Amino acid sequence: MNRPGRSQAPVRGARKAWLKGVGAGLLVCALVTGCGGGDDEKAAAAVKPGPTVTVTATVTATPALLESQVKSTVADATGAAEEHGYRVTAHDASQKDASPADDWTVCFEKYGRDSVDFGAVASGAPCPKADGGPIPWPTMPGVIGRTYAAAAAAVGGVTKGDISVKASYQDERVAAAHDDWKVCFQSPDAGTKVVGDRDVTLWLTKSGCPAATGTYKDKTNDPDYTPPVAADSGNGGSSGSSGSSSSSGGSASSSSSSGGGGGAGTTCEIVSNAGNCYNAGQFCRNADVGSSTHAGNGRLIFCRDEGSRNRWNY
């Protein structure tokens, strides 16, 4: 029952205004802050576990420091480097491209972080001035005219090979103590490139060098030496035979040709390789030992074994 005198219109207008206010508030809340519901969803998303990522790190250890291996053999240098943790390679340090052997000598070394490369040359060879350069082989010094002691020292500076000595004269023997003997000839010649430990030969003499090897200091020791024939041998030689010849009609001439007289008409049953008659004191060949012949002076001589050499004697 409606009370008289009160209108209903204002109530409906107020309710409508209130609903409009609430709707506007909800709209602002949704646009600005999400009205609290969005914050809860974000928080839940933040604590949700994501995918797991695994990272693997590779660490390369740096090898321990290694002292220089220059002048060591490739085998020793390789062993030392590997013990320190290095990876090792080796190459020919000369202009050639050979494969280094274990006994080669290290001339150069190049290090990386965990590696080393050795440049080496064959055992006994000198190192080049730069990696990949030519081998600077030494040359043979000239030692002719020096004493043996001085020559041996000079030769020893370029080679570790053997030094052999020979007598410069055929009839001279090198004494056991020959440091002061003079060098007359050498092999190899001065200026020859000495590759490796080359052997050397020196010809020595006590005094006075010959013009060439193979000659005799005493010419009468040469088996091919023929002394000049004297005009008168002093033993009834050519002059006596000549006198006999004039008185007996040439009998001495016959004697001379058979070796009894001597001189130009003497017959030598055995002659040297050069075709000359032998004389007493000269060397004779092994094949002539025990034989006899007439000498250039007409006297009979015999080839006898006298120990070191065979000689013709009366």
Side-chain angles (χ1 to χ4, degrees):
M1 178 177 179
N2 294 331
R3 293 181 181 181
R6 182 173 294 185
S7 174
Q8 297 295 323
V11 174
R12 291 193 298 270
R15 180 178 180 83
K16 186 176 183 180
W18 179 82
L19 291 173
K20 288 182 180 179
V22 172
L26 291 174
L27 178 62
V28 172
C29 177
L31 292 175
V32 176
T33 65
C35 299
D39 290 339
D40 293 340
E41 294 176 358
K42 289 181 179 180
V47 297
K48 183 179 181 180
T52 302
V53 178
T54 302
V55 178
T56 301
T58 301
V59 178
T60 302
T62 301
L65 293 178
L66 176 66
E67 63 182 7
S68 176
Q69 295 299 305
V70 172
K71 295 184 179 180
S72 299
T73 63
V74 169
D76 290 344
T78 298
E82 289 179 343
E83 286 180 0
H84 283 69
Y86 287 93
R87 293 180 291 107
V88 181
T89 56
H91 66 276
D92 191 337
S94 73
Q95 76 275 31
K96 299 180 180 179
D97 193 23
S99 297
D102 286 346
D103 64 342
W104 281 32
T105 303
V106 174
C107 296
F108 307 98
E109 52 192 0
K110 184 177 180 180
Y111 288 89
R113 178 180 176 82
D114 63 344
S115 64
V116 59
D117 182 34
F118 294 123
V121 295
S123 177
C127 291
K129 293 182 179 180
D131 199 353
I135 299 294
W137 292 110
T139 56
M140 181 61 59
V143 297
I144 293 176
R146 302 188 191 184
T147 63
Y148 171 78
V155 169
V158 298
T159 176
K160 295 180 181 179
D162 294 333
I163 301 178
S164 301
V165 296
K166 294 183 178 181
S168 297
Y169 290 99
Q170 287 279 67
D171 53 348
E172 186 175 42
R173 293 184 178 180
V174 178
H178 51 262
D179 281 354
D180 60 342
W181 281 43
K182 183 179 179 181
V183 177
C184 296
F185 310 98
Q186 69 175 83
S187 178
D189 295 331
T192 302
K193 184 179 292 186
V194 180
V195 178
D197 294 333
R198 187 164 182 178
D199 295 338
V200 177
T201 302
L202 303 176
W203 283 263
L204 312 178
T205 186
K206 182 66 176 177
S207 62
C209 289
T213 58
T215 58
Y216 291 82
K217 200 165 193 177
D218 183 353
K219 293 182 180 180
T220 61
N221 290 330
D222 185 352
D224 293 334
Y225 172 73
T226 300
V229 178
D232 185 354
S233 63
N235 60 350
S238 59
S239 60
S241 298
S242 178
S244 258
S245 174
S246 60
S247 61
S248 60
S251 60
S253 175
S254 174
S255 173
S256 174
S257 62
S258 64
T266 299
T267 298
C268 305
E269 294 83 0
I270 299 176
V271 296
S272 68
N273 294 336
N276 300 316
C277 294
Y278 285 109
N279 288 286
Q282 290 184 306
F283 293 119
C284 56
R285 296 168 295 222
N286 292 335
D288 296 331
V289 173
S291 302
S292 63
T293 184
H294 286 86
N297 60 9
R299 296 186 62 183
L300 191 63
I301 54 177
F302 301 87
C303 178
R304 297 186 177 92
D305 183 357
E306 296 186 353
S308 60
R309 291 296 299 269
N310 311 318
R311 289 181 183 272
W312 290 105
N313 280 309
Y314 297 115

